[in-house]
Amino acid sequence: MLAVVLASFVLALSCALVVRAARGASRGEQLAGAIAVLLAIGGGWALLASRPAAAGARSTLGPRASEAPEWVTSSACLACHPGQHASFARTFHRTMTQRASLASVLAPLDGRELVVSGEAHRLVREGEDVVAHSAAGSRRVALVTGSHREQAYWLEGDRPGELVLFPFVWMARDSRFVARREAFLLPPEAPMPDVRWGSSCIACHAVAGEPRRDAEHDRWDTRVAELGITCEACHGPGRAHVERYRDPFARYARRAAAKDDVDPTIVDPRKLSPARSAALCGQCHAYAYPRDEGEWWKTGYARAFRAGDTLERSRFLLSPATFEDPLAPRIEADVAGLFWPDGTVRVGGREYNGLVASPCFERGEGKRKMTCTSCHAMHEGDPRGQLAPSRVGDAACTSCHDDARARGHGHHAAGSSGNACVACHMPRTSYALLSATRSHRISSPSARRTSETGEPNACNLCHLDRSLAWTAEWLSRWYGTDALDWPAGDPRKDVAEGVRSALVGDAAVRVIVADALARPETAPVVDRGVLDLARRVLARDPYAAVRYVATKNGAAERDGNVVDVLVDAKLRELFARRDTRPVMIAE
């Protein structure tokens, strides 16, 4: 605070001296002097702003500030880039992780009793702190993760520097608490995975996170450049940039430079190649594993990756082939819970894996090579999807495929949800945070793929009242795909796909169908009887997450046995042959 006061005094004195010296000068000299003063003020405030913000300050709870000198935090960007800073501040990336406070905690702190596994828990306010109480004792809440769909609470652990999860999450959209295990797609009897912020979340929920786990003494000294996903995650460390442009004349020269001129002191994602631009998002939105696991436990990716790098330098991108490679690192996860049999990632939030396997990425060249910024923008658009306003709807697709639209390629009424490019080519076949999300592996609907792998297809995610044979017939008529024929009595021939999937699909398929049943684009084309039957089946699912999605609109009862709602003998037989393999989606 004292530094701010002194700096303000010096700047004011400088202004007074310049004004006094300007008396009697020409108008042009006065104008030049005024510009110099304004630039000096901006430089002075940039100097002050380059000091680490409170988010990186040392605290008795949670991670400490990184000691690496190259990081300056987003506060250093504010003085020279107020517009970009304000637009970034609106995003949910900024609030991905925050220090716990009365302002950042969204859940009510009214001490309501929350019971899971026979144990009661309460969140309360104590002075300016948020505290969790249980029979095991009281712990302060150190960090919060999320602010859009779900918010999780990290408590001080038993070991030095350790942060553990509160056993309930707050569902921001539904305004209710949910037991943490019910917010994950877990088998009913599976134990909840052991989760620590310093290992499970730090790589994607902070900038330059360093776990710094001391395994020998079982303690943590976690560091971050800044909490949340902030400026330096995408633009790289800012120290060199801030120091270079403290000089007002350097800033003026930079603004006068050619538009395509690359600034060596900072990364501009717009000037990267499509592959390196996508890697900026892929550093978090990918399933990957560190190349040097030992070093990762010390410094995370803080040294191995910088904005503008490729991901291959710092990590292995996971795929079904990775799990089969005897020389690849061993991953404690079930490949079936992460990928569909054709290699498409089935977990939301890992869109990079889908993008790089997309034909629009693999075959595109130059500006026609699809990347994340082909559709998304960090500094504009609705924060809920961060779609660039110029790319909303079909605009991103028709920039390359306008001829297909002209040929009536969609075969649906103009303006209808079924005629949208993403409806068919980016179906909601991924799962995360109790909802289905769009696949980013651009593909075409295939009844054959559904038949062989169980992966839902775009057609039947809208037409849940139609059979798989119906979909195969129309795809064959419209696009010449192979017609499929099943013997009489085969449920794929005459059972509504929504009901069939609800009965025999694995848990990830069932939760995707439950989500589809609640979407407005589904209602106009679904037979109400089929819709009701599928919902009632899913509301009795053994997986808590499937039940939650099926019943969150209050449209189905949760109690009772699935068999009780199956009056058709064929459906009872189908249910008896259901897929009972446990599926756990690791989000």
Side-chain angles (χ1 to χ4, degrees):
M1 184 62 186
L2 178 60
V4 174
V5 173
L6 290 174
S8 299
F9 174 76
V10 171
L11 291 172
L13 180 61
S14 300
C15 291
L17 290 174
V18 170
V19 170
R20 182 173 182 178
R23 290 175 180 171
S26 68
R27 294 178 65 85
E29 291 171 332
Q30 291 176 355
L31 178 61
I35 292 174
V37 168
L38 291 173
L39 291 173
I41 292 173
W45 281 110
L47 175 61
L48 290 173
S50 68
R51 299 176 65 84
R58 182 164 182 164
S59 170
T60 56
L61 286 179
R64 296 194 288 155
S66 171
E67 295 177 341
E70 63 265 33
W71 306 103
V72 295
T73 80
S74 58
S75 63
C77 308
L78 177 60
C80 295
H81 305 284
Q84 290 91 334
H85 191 280
S87 60
F88 141 76
R90 295 172 53 242
T91 70
F92 297 111
H93 282 84
R94 180 187 66 82
T95 54
M96 181 63 67
T97 299
Q98 305 171 82
R99 296 203 181 274
S101 69
L102 300 181
S104 63
V105 173
L106 300 180
L109 304 176
D110 53 10
R112 69 183 65 179
E113 189 175 73
L114 307 168
V115 180
V116 62
S117 301
E119 185 176 0
H121 301 263
R122 294 184 297 124
L123 273 184
V124 299
R125 171 181 178 174
E126 294 185 3
E128 295 302 307
D129 291 331
V130 180
V131 180
H133 292 290
S134 72
S138 301
R139 300 173 188 263
R140 286 181 294 170
V141 180
L143 301 179
V144 300
T145 296
S147 63
H148 176 32
R149 297 181 181 179
E150 300 177 9
Q151 188 171 73
Y153 304 104
W154 296 93
L155 316 178
E156 52 187 340
D158 296 325
R159 303 164 182 82
E162 180 186 48
L163 295 179
V164 298
L165 270 175
F166 184 63
F168 286 83
V169 297
W170 177 251
M171 307 302 297
R173 290 180 175 179
D174 303 332
S175 297
R176 58 181 287 195
F177 282 105
V178 171
R180 184 168 64 90
R181 67 165 294 110
E182 295 188 7
F184 289 83
L185 196 63
L186 286 173
E189 304 304 324
M192 189 67 200
D194 193 21
V195 178
R196 298 291 182 271
W197 192 86
S199 57
S200 304
C201 306
I202 190 172
C204 295
H205 290 184
V207 178
E210 303 174 41
R212 293 198 178 207
R213 181 169 186 255
D214 182 346
E216 181 180 353
H217 299 94
D218 199 15
R219 63 191 179 195
W220 306 74
D221 184 22
T222 307
R223 310 289 180 88
V224 299
E226 192 168 8
L227 292 173
I229 308 304
T230 62
C231 307
E232 290 172 296
C234 298
H235 296 284
R239 175 67 62 185
H241 186 73
V242 168
E243 292 183 351
R244 174 72 181 90
Y245 294 106
R246 283 174 179 161
D247 180 350
F249 296 101
R251 294 203 300 279
Y252 178 80
R254 180 70 241 166
R255 292 190 178 98
K259 187 176 181 180
D260 58 351
D261 185 27
V262 175
D263 183 347
T265 68
I266 205 73
V267 172
D268 185 341
R270 297 169 299 181
K271 297 177 182 179
L272 294 174
S273 68
R276 290 178 184 268
S277 173
L280 288 176
C281 305
Q283 63 179 301
C284 290
H285 291 280
Y287 252 124
Y289 193 83
R291 287 192 175 273
D292 187 335
E293 183 180 359
E295 180 61 25
W296 188 91
W297 281 107
K298 298 175 183 176
T299 61
Y301 292 122
R303 296 179 184 174
F305 179 85
R306 288 287 188 273
D309 289 345
T310 62
L311 292 183
E312 286 72 21
R313 173 187 169 189
S314 58
R315 65 205 85 188
F316 298 96
L317 191 65
L318 297 183
S319 69
T322 309
F323 286 78
E324 297 173 0
D325 185 349
L327 300 179
R330 297 296 90 197
I331 312 298
E332 293 183 5
D334 181 7
V335 64
L338 305 179
F339 299 93
W340 297 106
D342 68 349
T344 300
V345 68
R346 67 190 299 185
V347 185
R350 305 297 188 270
E351 290 78 10
Y352 181 84
N353 296 69
L355 172 71
V356 297
S358 162
C360 298
F361 180 90
E362 291 180 329
R363 303 174 198 166
E365 296 182 0
K367 293 183 178 180
R368 294 173 69 92
K369 188 179 186 73
M370 185 177 176
T371 187
C372 304
T373 53
S374 298
C375 300
H376 298 281
M378 178 64 80
H379 293 287
E380 54 182 338
D382 189 332
R384 287 172 295 181
Q386 293 196 243
L387 290 173
S390 63
R391 295 307 176 103
V392 171
D394 293 337
C397 304
T398 55
S399 64
C400 289
H401 301 286
D402 195 45
D403 58 329
R405 170 57 53 82
R407 297 196 308 270
H409 173 76
H411 292 281
H412 286 71
S416 68
S417 59
N419 202 49
C421 300
V422 296
C424 295
H425 300 290
M426 296 180 68
R428 298 181 189 274
T429 56
S430 296
Y431 167 82
L433 300 175
L434 295 171
S435 64
T437 62
R438 293 200 182 280
S439 169
H440 281 58
R441 183 177 184 176
I442 313 302
S443 61
S444 296
S446 170
R448 181 180 294 278
R449 187 165 63 246
T450 299
S451 176
E452 294 175 350
T453 69
E455 179 181 356
N457 66 78
C459 303
N460 286 119
L461 284 177
C462 278
H463 299 276
L464 288 161
D465 58 335
R466 300 292 189 172
S467 70
L468 198 56
W470 176 89
T471 296
E473 179 183 351
W474 281 104
L475 289 176
S476 177
R477 287 189 194 181
W478 287 343
Y479 305 109
T481 58
D482 293 339
L484 302 178
D485 190 22
W486 293 289
D490 190 310
R492 294 170 296 182
K493 185 178 182 65
D494 52 14
V495 173
E497 186 61 13
V499 175
R500 193 185 75 86
S501 298
L503 291 173
V504 304
D506 69 27
V509 169
R510 300 196 302 269
V511 78
I512 287 170
V513 171
D515 180 271
L517 285 165
R519 294 197 173 273
E521 59 265 33
T522 305
V525 296
V526 172
D527 177 274
R528 293 291 176 178
V530 169
L531 182 149
D532 181 62
L533 176 59
R535 274 185 175 164
R536 291 170 64 194
V537 166
L538 294 167
R540 291 160 171 77
D541 199 272
Y543 280 64
V546 178
R547 296 196 303 271
Y548 182 90
V549 175
T551 62
K552 64 181 178 180
N553 295 324
E557 298 177 0
R558 294 180 54 162
D559 299 328
N561 192 295
V562 172
V563 178
D564 295 339
V565 300
L566 300 178
V567 297
D568 186 288
K570 180 183 294 185
L571 296 183
R572 286 174 178 263
E573 180 184 353
L574 193 62
F575 179 67
R577 295 186 281 112
R578 67 192 184 280
D579 186 345
T580 57
R581 292 174 301 164
V583 173
M584 180 177 71
I585 295 292
E587 297 181 36

